[in-house]
Amino acid sequence: MKTVLTIIKKEFACIFKDRRLVLSLILPGVLLYCIYSLLGGVIGDMVSPDENQTYKIAVVELPASFEADFGAVPSVTLEKISKDELESAKQRVTDGEIDAVADFSAYTATAGGTAPGVEIYYNSTETVSSGAYKILYTVLSARQTTNFYIASDKDVTSMMLSMIAPMLLVTFIYAGCMSLVPESIAGEKERGSFATMLVTPVKRSHIALGKIISLSAASLISAACSFAGIVLSLPKMFQSEGSGLNFSAASYGVSDYLLLLLVIIATTLVIVALMSLLSTLAKSVKEATSYAGPLMIIILVAAMSNMLFGDKIGSWAYCVPILNSVKVMGDIFSFTAKTWQVLTAALTNFAAAGALSFALAKMFDSEKIISGS
């Protein structure tokens, strides 16, 4: 165990004493935060209602209690239509003749009701139509205690993160590994320092384990910084006044984050072990990077599986390394994860990382592979 710790300390010293390498771990997260925050501000300015703009909104069976609310908004002109004219009104929104349609035909003003009662149709690709939706949202949200349903922060957060967060997390983990692993193994082989390490009285399995643990820890730091940059910028992207989109990372409890951390650690170990095998086969950092190309494609396809296939993927996916991580991350973010799913995914990945570490130690025993002859 002492030799493993020695290898870990040696790897940490090589990584964290290199200022450029440390900067490459942290900088992506900072840049992502700045870019996404700036993008959110630009989008917010584009879709925010113009004070001088007038909006024409068609309403179906508008209750008398709402007329005063809309009357207080001078920029809105209401056009009352019948239920039979609803479909043609939707087409008029598409054609740009009117800006939005609000259907109150299912609305009932029963205090304390929670069922949705107002349907809104607007063209999200048009700035003016989006502005009309924002005004409708502002007016209707004031009556949330009656029968107008507004999605909770938890609903909106889970919807957004369950789709994009698993893909981003796995991509960031891979990017962190890519910046560290080839340099740590193939780079040392290229410089000749790796052969010196192998002649020391240290078990090859300890060297393999020490490298995988230390590189995984450093990769986790990189992935955490990048993911934090995304999460911190999401409120600025989605939570604009009257947008109806409210993002809150506080929707998740401590147990959710602990389960997510367990899955991330297991995933990182697998990716580091895979890249370590490829780097051991390579003679140089450049060659190791080229070997990682096909692996990147496989990992990216797995990372996008939730977006591409959704619920079509069966329970068998929990037993497939990396793919199970993406699936169970989506379950955690959507508040549907079960204990057996998380444990199955984590244990499968830990087992895969252990098998790959064993294979890596055997490769270290091969003089042909280490010498690159």
Side-chain angles (χ1 to χ4, degrees):
M1 188 63 183
K2 289 183 179 180
T3 54
V4 175
L5 292 175
T6 301
I7 298 296
I8 293 174
K9 290 179 182 178
K10 178 257 182 188
E11 292 296 325
F12 280 167
C14 293
I15 293 172
F16 294 108
K17 285 184 179 180
D18 188 337
R19 294 182 179 179
R20 290 176 298 179
L21 192 56
V22 173
L23 187 62
S24 69
L25 298 178
I26 300 174
L27 189 59
V30 177
L31 291 176
L32 285 168
Y33 173 77
C34 295
I35 292 171
Y36 275 61
S37 297
L38 179 62
L39 182 62
V42 172
I43 293 174
D45 291 339
M46 289 175 62
V47 301
S48 295
D50 187 345
E51 295 180 357
N52 300 320
Q53 178 69 47
T54 57
Y55 303 93
K56 190 172 183 179
I57 301 174
V59 291
V60 179
E61 299 182 15
L62 178 68
S65 57
F66 278 99
E67 292 190 10
D69 297 334
F70 284 106
V73 184
S75 59
V76 172
T77 301
L78 296 180
E79 177 187 346
K80 295 183 180 180
I81 62 175
S82 65
K83 184 71 173 178
D84 296 335
E85 298 174 287
L86 179 59
E87 293 303 321
S88 62
K90 293 179 185 179
Q91 185 59 46
R92 291 170 63 196
V93 172
T94 303
D95 296 338
E97 296 178 12
I98 57 177
D99 302 315
V101 179
D103 182 9
F104 292 82
S105 59
Y107 177 85
T108 55
T110 303
T114 57
V118 181
E119 294 184 353
I120 299 173
Y121 305 91
Y122 72 104
N123 188 350
S124 59
T125 63
E126 295 291 338
T127 302
V128 176
S129 186
S130 297
Y133 166 74
K134 285 194 170 192
I135 290 176
L136 282 168
Y137 173 83
T138 302
V139 172
L140 295 173
S141 61
R143 292 177 174 268
Q144 184 176 358
T145 55
T146 58
N147 204 29
F148 179 74
Y149 175 77
I150 300 174
S152 66
D153 292 353
K154 184 175 180 178
D155 296 331
V156 175
T157 302
S158 64
M159 178 188 67
M160 290 189 292
L161 286 187
S162 63
M163 294 297 293
I164 64 173
M167 179 187 67
L168 293 175
L169 276 171
V170 173
T171 303
F172 292 150
I173 291 172
Y174 179 85
C177 296
M178 191 66 191
S179 64
L180 296 172
V181 178
E183 177 62 31
S184 175
I185 297 179
E188 288 191 358
K189 284 181 65 177
E190 191 175 2
R191 293 188 295 271
S193 58
F194 193 69
T196 304
M197 182 190 301
L198 293 179
V199 299
T200 60
V202 179
K203 292 183 178 180
R204 304 292 173 91
S205 59
H206 289 182
I207 296 176
L209 186 60
K211 279 189 170 291
I212 288 176
I213 292 175
S214 57
L215 291 172
S216 296
S219 299
L220 281 172
I221 294 174
S222 176
C225 291
S226 298
F227 186 65
I230 290 290
V231 172
L232 292 175
S233 65
L234 282 177
K236 294 188 177 182
M237 285 193 69
F238 293 106
Q239 194 173 2
S240 57
E241 183 180 356
S243 66
L245 294 175
N246 300 291
F247 174 87
S248 175
S251 300
Y252 299 95
V254 175
S255 60
D256 296 317
Y257 286 111
L258 290 176
L259 291 175
L260 184 62
L261 178 62
L262 175 65
V263 175
I264 289 174
I265 291 174
T267 307
T268 305
L269 288 171
V270 173
I271 295 177
V272 168
L274 283 170
M275 295 193 69
S276 297
L277 288 175
L278 296 176
S279 296
T280 304
L281 292 172
K283 300 177 183 179
S284 63
V285 175
K286 183 178 181 180
E287 187 176 350
T289 303
S290 66
Y291 287 166
L295 177 62
M296 178 185 68
I297 296 174
I298 295 172
I299 290 178
L300 287 179
V301 170
M304 297 175 64
S305 59
N306 281 352
M307 300 180 65
L308 295 175
F309 306 108
D311 296 333
K312 295 180 181 179
I313 303 178
S315 298
W316 56 267
Y318 293 108
C319 299
V320 180
I322 300 178
L323 179 63
N324 56 12
S325 302
V326 177
K327 187 168 178 60
V328 83
M329 283 179 192
D331 294 337
I332 293 172
F333 284 120
S334 61
F335 303 99
T336 60
K338 298 178 181 178
T339 303
W340 73 266
Q341 295 171 340
V342 178
L343 291 179
T344 300
L347 292 175
T348 299
N349 285 335
F350 281 131
L356 291 169
S357 299
F358 179 78
L360 184 63
K362 290 298 182 182
M363 292 176 68
F364 286 173
D365 287 331
S366 173
E367 296 299 332
K368 182 177 182 181
I369 293 177
I370 296 303
S371 63
S373 59

